[in-house]
Amino acid sequence: MSSVRRPDHHRPDHRADLRHVLTHLVTPLLMCIGMGLAYLGAFAHPEPHHLPVAVVGSGSQAQVLAQSISDKAHGGLDVRTVGSRAEAVDQLKHQEIFGAYVMDAHASGGGAPAGASGAAAPKDGAAGAKGGAGAGVKDDGGAAVKNDGASTAGAKAAPELVVATAGSDTTATVVQKIFTPVAAQQGTPLKVTDVAPPAEDDPTGQGLFFLMVAISIGSYASVAVIGGAGAVLPIRLRAALAAGTSFVVSILGTLFAGPVFHLVDHGLWGLWSMAWLYSAGILLIGTGLHTFLKRWTTLGVMALFVMLNFTSAGGVFRPELQNGFFASLHAFWNGAGFVEGTRSHVYFDNNGLAGHVWTLVLWLVVGFVMIGVASLAEARRRRAAAAAAQNATAVAAAAVAATVPERRPAHAAGTGDGGKEARAGRSEAAEEAEEAEEEMEETVGV
């Protein structure tokens, strides 16, 4: 008997299936590369870049201290001086600065400049003593300060750092690390005062950022469903579905922020309005892009509304702690508009709110423009398909007329050019349906 084995003709050939799987693995691998570049590029090495802070005081001592801090920062800080603590607090609440160092809280408590004494010097030039003990005037940046040549109270200066952590907890922490050694040179511990604390149930103030993450995922994941399962619908109905979905997503986000997790204890109507603008912009842009990107839509909306969006929103690090690329995106990206707009509305008396709302409105306008462009493109495709169908019908009719005038068998009806067009149409429809299903699976997986 021969020892040669006969080939197994029943063994399946998986080469085509393997190529199909490898082709679709490109999408998650690109997501991995994009997320790595975006997140590590934005968050890996946070350091101050022209971070605005202030030294409270109007005398030469405040000027010298501000210049010294600025020189040591090598461009990391923009240090200014302000005349009073009240003025510094006002700038903090307008987010013009992110920390104010008061050299002597006793001297500045009533709005007096930090360079003034907390107790008036006696007219006879004797040293004022609060506890009965006098103290010589000493300009060492610490225990006592000069007051027109007269000696001051013997109590040590009490340095204070004023911050607004609702604007950014990480920025407040960086500012505190900067000024703690300055206070140590005065020989007293640094007192930190928070003039804009976040909600009690959101101690780090980052709850609003994660609220934006939830709204974003609900929005861009819905794009795959509307664009895939709803591909047979006219673009106007898909746009209506996108608007309706954004309404539901924004309601859910408001419920999370208010009654469920108590991230916000007031201003829920304003928060809902910004959540709807934000969500509607993402859904309309994504729905319009689906006409052109098809199965690559998930990757496209992730690049726009995750990779570039989450990293530039200012929820983890403000732009003053990021590199120039992500800091520049913060000025006009929609995630930054939502996070900063909500902070302004909830914690900073609507200071700067109008600009952030306009950012969200402009992204919504871009969404409507994308829907319009997609509508024109789909109308042109329909006209091209109708012309091709008419041409195929004419070719099939001419082929039938050229043959022997006999009744053709029913099974041969699909052998002409018309039958080829029909089979091609069915194959294309099946392929589009398969791509839509795969796109939704990839989105759910993400």
Side-chain angles (χ1 to χ4, degrees), residues 215-216 218-224 226 238-239 241-250 276-289 301 305 334 364 367 371:
I215 294 173
S216 302
S219 301
Y220 81 73
S222 299
V223 167
I226 295 173
R238 278 177 278 151
L241 282 173
T245 303
S246 67
F247 180 81
V248 175
V249 170
S250 62
W276 179 81
L277 287 171
Y278 175 72
S279 178
I282 293 176
L283 273 154
L284 291 175
I285 291 173
T287 301
L289 285 176
V301 294
F305 305 120
N334 60 341
L364 181 62
I371 292 295

PDB file of all heavy atoms in Angstrom, residues 215-216 218-224 226 238-239 241-250 276-289 301 305 334 364 367 371:
ATOM      1  N   ILE A 215     -21.242  62.071  29.220  1.00  0.00           N
ATOM      2  CA  ILE A 215     -22.061  62.649  28.149  1.00  0.00           C
ATOM      3  C   ILE A 215     -21.413  62.398  26.792  1.00  0.00           C
ATOM      4  O   ILE A 215     -22.098  62.097  25.801  1.00  0.00           O
ATOM      5  CB  ILE A 215     -22.262  64.154  28.402  1.00  0.00           C
ATOM      6  CG1 ILE A 215     -23.085  64.376  29.666  1.00  0.00           C
ATOM      7  CG2 ILE A 215     -22.956  64.817  27.215  1.00  0.00           C
ATOM      8  CD1 ILE A 215     -23.191  65.834  30.086  1.00  0.00           C
ATOM      9  N   SER A 216     -20.097  62.486  26.738  1.00  0.00           N
ATOM     10  CA  SER A 216     -19.387  62.267  25.478  1.00  0.00           C
ATOM     11  C   SER A 216     -19.580  60.839  24.976  1.00  0.00           C
ATOM     12  O   SER A 216     -19.872  60.605  23.791  1.00  0.00           O
ATOM     13  CB  SER A 216     -17.894  62.552  25.654  1.00  0.00           C
ATOM     14  OG  SER A 216     -17.671  63.865  26.096  1.00  0.00           O
ATOM     15  N   GLY A 218     -21.967  58.669  25.758  1.00  0.00           N
ATOM     16  CA  GLY A 218     -23.346  58.476  25.338  1.00  0.00           C
ATOM     17  C   GLY A 218     -23.633  59.091  23.982  1.00  0.00           C
ATOM     18  O   GLY A 218     -24.457  58.574  23.214  1.00  0.00           O
ATOM     19  N   SER A 219     -22.940  60.167  23.665  1.00  0.00           N
ATOM     20  CA  SER A 219     -23.175  60.869  22.400  1.00  0.00           C
ATOM     21  C   SER A 219     -22.483  60.182  21.231  1.00  0.00           C
ATOM     22  O   SER A 219     -23.109  59.848  20.226  1.00  0.00           O
ATOM     23  CB  SER A 219     -22.702  62.324  22.510  1.00  0.00           C
ATOM     24  OG  SER A 219     -23.385  63.002  23.548  1.00  0.00           O
ATOM     25  N   TYR A 220     -21.158  59.942  21.352  1.00  0.00           N
ATOM     26  CA  TYR A 220     -20.467  59.415  20.174  1.00  0.00           C
ATOM     27  C   TYR A 220     -20.786  57.941  19.945  1.00  0.00           C
ATOM     28  O   TYR A 220     -20.716  57.454  18.808  1.00  0.00           O
ATOM     29  CB  TYR A 220     -18.967  59.676  20.240  1.00  0.00           C
ATOM     30  CG  TYR A 220     -18.137  58.725  21.073  1.00  0.00           C
ATOM     31  CD1 TYR A 220     -17.859  57.431  20.643  1.00  0.00           C
ATOM     32  CD2 TYR A 220     -17.575  59.143  22.265  1.00  0.00           C
ATOM     33  CE1 TYR A 220     -17.078  56.573  21.383  1.00  0.00           C
ATOM     34  CE2 TYR A 220     -16.784  58.297  23.018  1.00  0.00           C
ATOM     35  CZ  TYR A 220     -16.543  57.010  22.573  1.00  0.00           C
ATOM     36  OH  TYR A 220     -15.761  56.173  23.315  1.00  0.00           O
ATOM     37  N   ALA A 221     -21.140  57.191  21.004  1.00  0.00           N
ATOM     38  CA  ALA A 221     -21.554  55.807  20.793  1.00  0.00           C
ATOM     39  C   ALA A 221     -22.891  55.748  20.060  1.00  0.00           C
ATOM     40  O   ALA A 221     -23.134  54.824  19.273  1.00  0.00           O
ATOM     41  CB  ALA A 221     -21.648  55.071  22.127  1.00  0.00           C
ATOM     42  N   SER A 222     -23.759  56.716  20.295  1.00  0.00           N
ATOM     43  CA  SER A 222     -25.050  56.754  19.598  1.00  0.00           C
ATOM     44  C   SER A 222     -24.877  57.053  18.114  1.00  0.00           C
ATOM     45  O   SER A 222     -25.747  56.707  17.308  1.00  0.00           O
ATOM     46  CB  SER A 222     -25.960  57.804  20.242  1.00  0.00           C
ATOM     47  OG  SER A 222     -26.213  57.502  21.603  1.00  0.00           O
ATOM     48  N   VAL A 223     -23.771  57.708  17.752  1.00  0.00           N
ATOM     49  CA  VAL A 223     -23.531  58.016  16.344  1.00  0.00           C
ATOM     50  C   VAL A 223     -23.455  56.736  15.525  1.00  0.00           C
ATOM     51  O   VAL A 223     -24.003  56.652  14.413  1.00  0.00           O
ATOM     52  CB  VAL A 223     -22.228  58.836  16.201  1.00  0.00           C
ATOM     53  CG1 VAL A 223     -21.790  58.901  14.746  1.00  0.00           C
ATOM     54  CG2 VAL A 223     -22.422  60.236  16.760  1.00  0.00           C
ATOM     55  N   ALA A 224     -22.761  55.700  16.061  1.00  0.00           N
ATOM     56  CA  ALA A 224     -22.628  54.446  15.323  1.00  0.00           C
ATOM     57  C   ALA A 224     -23.977  53.789  15.105  1.00  0.00           C
ATOM     58  O   ALA A 224     -24.232  53.206  14.048  1.00  0.00           O
ATOM     59  CB  ALA A 224     -21.689  53.510  16.076  1.00  0.00           C
ATOM     60  N   ILE A 226     -27.027  55.323  15.059  1.00  0.00           N
ATOM     61  CA  ILE A 226     -27.831  56.124  14.128  1.00  0.00           C
ATOM     62  C   ILE A 226     -27.296  55.996  12.710  1.00  0.00           C
ATOM     63  O   ILE A 226     -28.054  55.845  11.745  1.00  0.00           O
ATOM     64  CB  ILE A 226     -27.853  57.597  14.576  1.00  0.00           C
ATOM     65  CG1 ILE A 226     -28.579  57.731  15.914  1.00  0.00           C
ATOM     66  CG2 ILE A 226     -28.522  58.477  13.521  1.00  0.00           C
ATOM     67  CD1 ILE A 226     -28.511  59.110  16.520  1.00  0.00           C
ATOM     68  N   ARG A 238     -32.316  60.997  10.384  1.00  0.00           N
ATOM     69  CA  ARG A 238     -31.155  60.706  11.231  1.00  0.00           C
ATOM     70  C   ARG A 238     -30.745  61.926  12.035  1.00  0.00           C
ATOM     71  O   ARG A 238     -30.354  61.817  13.206  1.00  0.00           O
ATOM     72  CB  ARG A 238     -29.984  60.227  10.357  1.00  0.00           C
ATOM     73  CG  ARG A 238     -30.069  58.748   9.987  1.00  0.00           C
ATOM     74  CD  ARG A 238     -28.939  58.341   9.077  1.00  0.00           C
ATOM     75  NE  ARG A 238     -29.230  58.695   7.698  1.00  0.00           N
ATOM     76  CZ  ARG A 238     -28.310  58.976   6.801  1.00  0.00           C
ATOM     77  NH1 ARG A 238     -27.027  59.006   7.133  1.00  0.00           N
ATOM     78  NH2 ARG A 238     -28.641  59.273   5.565  1.00  0.00           N
ATOM     79  N   ALA A 239     -30.826  63.103  11.439  1.00  0.00           N
ATOM     80  CA  ALA A 239     -30.524  64.331  12.180  1.00  0.00           C
ATOM     81  C   ALA A 239     -31.530  64.543  13.307  1.00  0.00           C
ATOM     82  O   ALA A 239     -31.154  64.963  14.417  1.00  0.00           O
ATOM     83  CB  ALA A 239     -30.530  65.527  11.223  1.00  0.00           C
ATOM     84  N   LEU A 241     -33.148  62.155  14.850  1.00  0.00           N
ATOM     85  CA  LEU A 241     -32.787  61.174  15.877  1.00  0.00           C
ATOM     86  C   LEU A 241     -31.594  61.657  16.699  1.00  0.00           C
ATOM     87  O   LEU A 241     -31.555  61.469  17.923  1.00  0.00           O
ATOM     88  CB  LEU A 241     -32.461  59.833  15.225  1.00  0.00           C
ATOM     89  CG  LEU A 241     -33.637  58.970  14.786  1.00  0.00           C
ATOM     90  CD1 LEU A 241     -33.138  57.759  14.008  1.00  0.00           C
ATOM     91  CD2 LEU A 241     -34.459  58.522  15.987  1.00  0.00           C
ATOM     92  N   ALA A 242     -30.621  62.267  16.039  1.00  0.00           N
ATOM     93  CA  ALA A 242     -29.447  62.788  16.751  1.00  0.00           C
ATOM     94  C   ALA A 242     -29.857  63.874  17.751  1.00  0.00           C
ATOM     95  O   ALA A 242     -29.407  63.883  18.900  1.00  0.00           O
ATOM     96  CB  ALA A 242     -28.436  63.338  15.758  1.00  0.00           C
ATOM     97  N   ALA A 243     -30.731  64.789  17.316  1.00  0.00           N
ATOM     98  CA  ALA A 243     -31.181  65.854  18.218  1.00  0.00           C
ATOM     99  C   ALA A 243     -31.962  65.281  19.391  1.00  0.00           C
ATOM    100  O   ALA A 243     -31.779  65.698  20.547  1.00  0.00           O
ATOM    101  CB  ALA A 243     -32.034  66.853  17.440  1.00  0.00           C
ATOM    102  N   GLY A 244     -32.830  64.308  19.112  1.00  0.00           N
ATOM    103  CA  GLY A 244     -33.594  63.688  20.201  1.00  0.00           C
ATOM    104  C   GLY A 244     -32.719  62.928  21.170  1.00  0.00           C
ATOM    105  O   GLY A 244     -32.914  62.984  22.390  1.00  0.00           O
ATOM    106  N   THR A 245     -31.722  62.212  20.632  1.00  0.00           N
ATOM    107  CA  THR A 245     -30.800  61.480  21.498  1.00  0.00           C
ATOM    108  C   THR A 245     -30.000  62.425  22.383  1.00  0.00           C
ATOM    109  O   THR A 245     -29.761  62.148  23.567  1.00  0.00           O
ATOM    110  CB  THR A 245     -29.837  60.625  20.651  1.00  0.00           C
ATOM    111  OG1 THR A 245     -30.594  59.739  19.819  1.00  0.00           O
ATOM    112  CG2 THR A 245     -28.917  59.809  21.529  1.00  0.00           C
ATOM    113  N   SER A 246     -29.582  63.555  21.837  1.00  0.00           N
ATOM    114  CA  SER A 246     -28.834  64.530  22.638  1.00  0.00           C
ATOM    115  C   SER A 246     -29.692  65.073  23.777  1.00  0.00           C
ATOM    116  O   SER A 246     -29.178  65.344  24.873  1.00  0.00           O
ATOM    117  CB  SER A 246     -28.352  65.681  21.751  1.00  0.00           C
ATOM    118  OG  SER A 246     -29.438  66.444  21.268  1.00  0.00           O
ATOM    119  N   PHE A 247     -30.985  65.203  23.533  1.00  0.00           N
ATOM    120  CA  PHE A 247     -31.883  65.660  24.595  1.00  0.00           C
ATOM    121  C   PHE A 247     -31.908  64.641  25.736  1.00  0.00           C
ATOM    122  O   PHE A 247     -31.806  65.006  26.918  1.00  0.00           O
ATOM    123  CB  PHE A 247     -33.287  65.857  24.022  1.00  0.00           C
ATOM    124  CG  PHE A 247     -34.306  66.323  25.023  1.00  0.00           C
ATOM    125  CD1 PHE A 247     -34.398  67.657  25.387  1.00  0.00           C
ATOM    126  CD2 PHE A 247     -35.176  65.420  25.609  1.00  0.00           C
ATOM    127  CE1 PHE A 247     -35.332  68.084  26.320  1.00  0.00           C
ATOM    128  CE2 PHE A 247     -36.106  65.825  26.541  1.00  0.00           C
ATOM    129  CZ  PHE A 247     -36.190  67.167  26.900  1.00  0.00           C
ATOM    130  N   VAL A 248     -32.007  63.357  25.393  1.00  0.00           N
ATOM    131  CA  VAL A 248     -32.037  62.314  26.424  1.00  0.00           C
ATOM    132  C   VAL A 248     -30.703  62.254  27.165  1.00  0.00           C
ATOM    133  O   VAL A 248     -30.664  62.171  28.401  1.00  0.00           O
ATOM    134  CB  VAL A 248     -32.363  60.945  25.786  1.00  0.00           C
ATOM    135  CG1 VAL A 248     -32.286  59.831  26.828  1.00  0.00           C
ATOM    136  CG2 VAL A 248     -33.748  60.981  25.148  1.00  0.00           C
ATOM    137  N   VAL A 249     -29.587  62.306  26.421  1.00  0.00           N
ATOM    138  CA  VAL A 249     -28.261  62.234  27.041  1.00  0.00           C
ATOM    139  C   VAL A 249     -28.048  63.407  27.992  1.00  0.00           C
ATOM    140  O   VAL A 249     -27.509  63.240  29.099  1.00  0.00           O
ATOM    141  CB  VAL A 249     -27.170  62.208  25.958  1.00  0.00           C
ATOM    142  CG1 VAL A 249     -25.780  62.382  26.581  1.00  0.00           C
ATOM    143  CG2 VAL A 249     -27.218  60.900  25.185  1.00  0.00           C
ATOM    144  N   SER A 250     -28.465  64.603  27.591  1.00  0.00           N
ATOM    145  CA  SER A 250     -28.283  65.774  28.458  1.00  0.00           C
ATOM    146  C   SER A 250     -29.140  65.678  29.720  1.00  0.00           C
ATOM    147  O   SER A 250     -28.711  66.101  30.802  1.00  0.00           O
ATOM    148  CB  SER A 250     -28.618  67.050  27.682  1.00  0.00           C
ATOM    149  OG  SER A 250     -29.969  67.049  27.257  1.00  0.00           O
ATOM    150  N   TRP A 276     -26.835  69.884  26.667  1.00  0.00           N
ATOM    151  CA  TRP A 276     -27.538  69.624  25.410  1.00  0.00           C
ATOM    152  C   TRP A 276     -26.758  70.193  24.227  1.00  0.00           C
ATOM    153  O   TRP A 276     -26.609  69.528  23.200  1.00  0.00           O
ATOM    154  CB  TRP A 276     -28.939  70.221  25.427  1.00  0.00           C
ATOM    155  CG  TRP A 276     -29.630  69.975  24.119  1.00  0.00           C
ATOM    156  CD1 TRP A 276     -30.253  68.837  23.727  1.00  0.00           C
ATOM    157  CD2 TRP A 276     -29.702  70.885  23.012  1.00  0.00           C
ATOM    158  NE1 TRP A 276     -30.711  68.970  22.436  1.00  0.00           N
ATOM    159  CE2 TRP A 276     -30.400  70.207  21.969  1.00  0.00           C
ATOM    160  CE3 TRP A 276     -29.255  72.185  22.791  1.00  0.00           C
ATOM    161  CZ2 TRP A 276     -30.650  70.803  20.740  1.00  0.00           C
ATOM    162  CZ3 TRP A 276     -29.504  72.775  21.556  1.00  0.00           C
ATOM    163  CH2 TRP A 276     -30.200  72.096  20.556  1.00  0.00           C
ATOM    164  N   LEU A 277     -26.257  71.416  24.356  1.00  0.00           N
ATOM    165  CA  LEU A 277     -25.455  71.994  23.283  1.00  0.00           C
ATOM    166  C   LEU A 277     -24.246  71.107  22.973  1.00  0.00           C
ATOM    167  O   LEU A 277     -23.922  70.849  21.807  1.00  0.00           O
ATOM    168  CB  LEU A 277     -24.982  73.394  23.667  1.00  0.00           C
ATOM    169  CG  LEU A 277     -26.014  74.513  23.660  1.00  0.00           C
ATOM    170  CD1 LEU A 277     -25.427  75.777  24.285  1.00  0.00           C
ATOM    171  CD2 LEU A 277     -26.500  74.797  22.244  1.00  0.00           C
ATOM    172  N   TYR A 278     -23.595  70.644  24.018  1.00  0.00           N
ATOM    173  CA  TYR A 278     -22.396  69.816  23.851  1.00  0.00           C
ATOM    174  C   TYR A 278     -22.733  68.494  23.174  1.00  0.00           C
ATOM    175  O   TYR A 278     -22.099  68.098  22.191  1.00  0.00           O
ATOM    176  CB  TYR A 278     -21.771  69.580  25.228  1.00  0.00           C
ATOM    177  CG  TYR A 278     -20.588  68.654  25.228  1.00  0.00           C
ATOM    178  CD1 TYR A 278     -19.367  69.059  24.701  1.00  0.00           C
ATOM    179  CD2 TYR A 278     -20.693  67.370  25.760  1.00  0.00           C
ATOM    180  CE1 TYR A 278     -18.275  68.204  24.709  1.00  0.00           C
ATOM    181  CE2 TYR A 278     -19.610  66.519  25.770  1.00  0.00           C
ATOM    182  CZ  TYR A 278     -18.405  66.937  25.242  1.00  0.00           C
ATOM    183  OH  TYR A 278     -17.328  66.089  25.243  1.00  0.00           O
ATOM    184  N   SER A 279     -23.750  67.793  23.691  1.00  0.00           N
ATOM    185  CA  SER A 279     -24.124  66.496  23.144  1.00  0.00           C
ATOM    186  C   SER A 279     -24.650  66.615  21.715  1.00  0.00           C
ATOM    187  O   SER A 279     -24.300  65.807  20.839  1.00  0.00           O
ATOM    188  CB  SER A 279     -25.178  65.830  24.040  1.00  0.00           C
ATOM    189  OG  SER A 279     -25.597  64.602  23.508  1.00  0.00           O
ATOM    190  N   ALA A 280     -25.493  67.613  21.453  1.00  0.00           N
ATOM    191  CA  ALA A 280     -26.060  67.785  20.113  1.00  0.00           C
ATOM    192  C   ALA A 280     -24.970  68.064  19.090  1.00  0.00           C
ATOM    193  O   ALA A 280     -25.013  67.564  17.953  1.00  0.00           O
ATOM    194  CB  ALA A 280     -27.082  68.917  20.118  1.00  0.00           C
ATOM    195  N   GLY A 281     -23.965  68.846  19.466  1.00  0.00           N
ATOM    196  CA  GLY A 281     -22.865  69.105  18.548  1.00  0.00           C
ATOM    197  C   GLY A 281     -22.139  67.829  18.161  1.00  0.00           C
ATOM    198  O   GLY A 281     -21.843  67.590  16.985  1.00  0.00           O
ATOM    199  N   ILE A 282     -21.845  66.971  19.153  1.00  0.00           N
ATOM    200  CA  ILE A 282     -21.153  65.712  18.868  1.00  0.00           C
ATOM    201  C   ILE A 282     -22.004  64.812  17.974  1.00  0.00           C
ATOM    202  O   ILE A 282     -21.519  64.246  16.980  1.00  0.00           O
ATOM    203  CB  ILE A 282     -20.810  64.985  20.185  1.00  0.00           C
ATOM    204  CG1 ILE A 282     -19.772  65.772  20.981  1.00  0.00           C
ATOM    205  CG2 ILE A 282     -20.301  63.572  19.905  1.00  0.00           C
ATOM    206  CD1 ILE A 282     -19.457  65.182  22.331  1.00  0.00           C
ATOM    207  N   LEU A 283     -23.281  64.668  18.307  1.00  0.00           N
ATOM    208  CA  LEU A 283     -24.148  63.758  17.555  1.00  0.00           C
ATOM    209  C   LEU A 283     -24.360  64.225  16.117  1.00  0.00           C
ATOM    210  O   LEU A 283     -24.341  63.416  15.180  1.00  0.00           O
ATOM    211  CB  LEU A 283     -25.484  63.624  18.282  1.00  0.00           C
ATOM    212  CG  LEU A 283     -25.502  62.537  19.360  1.00  0.00           C
ATOM    213  CD1 LEU A 283     -26.529  62.834  20.435  1.00  0.00           C
ATOM    214  CD2 LEU A 283     -25.781  61.168  18.736  1.00  0.00           C
ATOM    215  N   LEU A 284     -24.563  65.515  15.921  1.00  0.00           N
ATOM    216  CA  LEU A 284     -24.782  66.005  14.560  1.00  0.00           C
ATOM    217  C   LEU A 284     -23.507  65.917  13.717  1.00  0.00           C
ATOM    218  O   LEU A 284     -23.548  65.527  12.550  1.00  0.00           O
ATOM    219  CB  LEU A 284     -25.303  67.440  14.600  1.00  0.00           C
ATOM    220  CG  LEU A 284     -26.731  67.607  15.143  1.00  0.00           C
ATOM    221  CD1 LEU A 284     -27.086  69.082  15.248  1.00  0.00           C
ATOM    222  CD2 LEU A 284     -27.740  66.893  14.253  1.00  0.00           C
ATOM    223  N   ILE A 285     -22.370  66.270  14.315  1.00  0.00           N
ATOM    224  CA  ILE A 285     -21.107  66.155  13.585  1.00  0.00           C
ATOM    225  C   ILE A 285     -20.832  64.701  13.227  1.00  0.00           C
ATOM    226  O   ILE A 285     -20.474  64.364  12.087  1.00  0.00           O
ATOM    227  CB  ILE A 285     -19.949  66.746  14.403  1.00  0.00           C
ATOM    228  CG1 ILE A 285     -20.092  68.266  14.508  1.00  0.00           C
ATOM    229  CG2 ILE A 285     -18.602  66.382  13.779  1.00  0.00           C
ATOM    230  CD1 ILE A 285     -19.086  68.918  15.429  1.00  0.00           C
ATOM    231  N   GLY A 286     -21.023  63.800  14.189  1.00  0.00           N
ATOM    232  CA  GLY A 286     -20.778  62.388  13.936  1.00  0.00           C
ATOM    233  C   GLY A 286     -21.724  61.808  12.900  1.00  0.00           C
ATOM    234  O   GLY A 286     -21.312  61.014  12.039  1.00  0.00           O
ATOM    235  N   THR A 287     -23.006  62.184  12.962  1.00  0.00           N
ATOM    236  CA  THR A 287     -23.976  61.686  11.988  1.00  0.00           C
ATOM    237  C   THR A 287     -23.622  62.165  10.586  1.00  0.00           C
ATOM    238  O   THR A 287     -23.733  61.405   9.609  1.00  0.00           O
ATOM    239  CB  THR A 287     -25.390  62.144  12.370  1.00  0.00           C
ATOM    240  OG1 THR A 287     -25.715  61.650  13.685  1.00  0.00           O
ATOM    241  CG2 THR A 287     -26.427  61.629  11.385  1.00  0.00           C
ATOM    242  N   GLY A 288     -23.199  63.407  10.470  1.00  0.00           N
ATOM    243  CA  GLY A 288     -22.777  63.898   9.169  1.00  0.00           C
ATOM    244  C   GLY A 288     -21.515  63.211   8.667  1.00  0.00           C
ATOM    245  O   GLY A 288     -21.407  62.863   7.488  1.00  0.00           O
ATOM    246  N   LEU A 289     -20.551  62.975   9.572  1.00  0.00           N
ATOM    247  CA  LEU A 289     -19.304  62.316   9.169  1.00  0.00           C
ATOM    248  C   LEU A 289     -19.539  60.881   8.715  1.00  0.00           C
ATOM    249  O   LEU A 289     -18.799  60.360   7.873  1.00  0.00           O
ATOM    250  CB  LEU A 289     -18.308  62.332  10.335  1.00  0.00           C
ATOM    251  CG  LEU A 289     -17.612  63.656  10.636  1.00  0.00           C
ATOM    252  CD1 LEU A 289     -16.744  63.517  11.878  1.00  0.00           C
ATOM    253  CD2 LEU A 289     -16.766  64.110   9.450  1.00  0.00           C
ATOM    254  N   VAL A 301     -14.715  59.896  15.364  1.00  0.00           N
ATOM    255  CA  VAL A 301     -15.322  60.638  16.481  1.00  0.00           C
ATOM    256  C   VAL A 301     -14.518  60.442  17.757  1.00  0.00           C
ATOM    257  O   VAL A 301     -14.481  61.334  18.619  1.00  0.00           O
ATOM    258  CB  VAL A 301     -16.800  60.230  16.685  1.00  0.00           C
ATOM    259  CG1 VAL A 301     -17.644  60.640  15.502  1.00  0.00           C
ATOM    260  CG2 VAL A 301     -16.947  58.743  16.959  1.00  0.00           C
ATOM    261  N   PHE A 305     -13.482  63.635  19.794  1.00  0.00           N
ATOM    262  CA  PHE A 305     -14.197  63.870  21.043  1.00  0.00           C
ATOM    263  C   PHE A 305     -13.698  63.054  22.220  1.00  0.00           C
ATOM    264  O   PHE A 305     -14.285  63.097  23.297  1.00  0.00           O
ATOM    265  CB  PHE A 305     -15.694  63.617  20.823  1.00  0.00           C
ATOM    266  CG  PHE A 305     -16.255  64.431  19.693  1.00  0.00           C
ATOM    267  CD1 PHE A 305     -16.826  63.833  18.591  1.00  0.00           C
ATOM    268  CD2 PHE A 305     -16.181  65.813  19.723  1.00  0.00           C
ATOM    269  CE1 PHE A 305     -17.333  64.589  17.540  1.00  0.00           C
ATOM    270  CE2 PHE A 305     -16.678  66.577  18.677  1.00  0.00           C
ATOM    271  CZ  PHE A 305     -17.254  65.961  17.586  1.00  0.00           C
ATOM    272  N   ASN A 334     -14.720  71.823  22.175  1.00  0.00           N
ATOM    273  CA  ASN A 334     -16.048  71.804  22.808  1.00  0.00           C
ATOM    274  C   ASN A 334     -16.014  71.255  24.232  1.00  0.00           C
ATOM    275  O   ASN A 334     -16.791  71.696  25.088  1.00  0.00           O
ATOM    276  CB  ASN A 334     -17.042  71.012  21.955  1.00  0.00           C
ATOM    277  CG  ASN A 334     -16.627  69.566  21.741  1.00  0.00           C
ATOM    278  OD1 ASN A 334     -15.465  69.198  21.910  1.00  0.00           O
ATOM    279  ND2 ASN A 334     -17.573  68.738  21.352  1.00  0.00           N
ATOM    280  N   LEU A 364     -22.101  73.358  17.596  1.00  0.00           N
ATOM    281  CA  LEU A 364     -23.424  72.930  17.139  1.00  0.00           C
ATOM    282  C   LEU A 364     -23.664  73.388  15.707  1.00  0.00           C
ATOM    283  O   LEU A 364     -24.217  72.638  14.886  1.00  0.00           O
ATOM    284  CB  LEU A 364     -24.503  73.492  18.071  1.00  0.00           C
ATOM    285  CG  LEU A 364     -25.948  73.112  17.740  1.00  0.00           C
ATOM    286  CD1 LEU A 364     -26.145  71.600  17.841  1.00  0.00           C
ATOM    287  CD2 LEU A 364     -26.916  73.835  18.672  1.00  0.00           C
ATOM    288  N   GLY A 367     -22.047  71.146  13.428  1.00  0.00           N
ATOM    289  CA  GLY A 367     -22.851  69.939  13.275  1.00  0.00           C
ATOM    290  C   GLY A 367     -23.929  70.098  12.220  1.00  0.00           C
ATOM    291  O   GLY A 367     -24.131  69.205  11.379  1.00  0.00           O
ATOM    292  N   ILE A 371     -24.343  68.105   8.590  1.00  0.00           N
ATOM    293  CA  ILE A 371     -25.578  67.453   8.140  1.00  0.00           C
ATOM    294  C   ILE A 371     -25.946  67.959   6.751  1.00  0.00           C
ATOM    295  O   ILE A 371     -26.354  67.177   5.871  1.00  0.00           O
ATOM    296  CB  ILE A 371     -26.718  67.715   9.138  1.00  0.00           C
ATOM    297  CG1 ILE A 371     -26.452  66.995  10.473  1.00  0.00           C
ATOM    298  CG2 ILE A 371     -28.065  67.269   8.560  1.00  0.00           C
ATOM    299  CD1 ILE A 371     -26.455  65.489  10.368  1.00  0.00           C
TER     300      ILE A 371
END
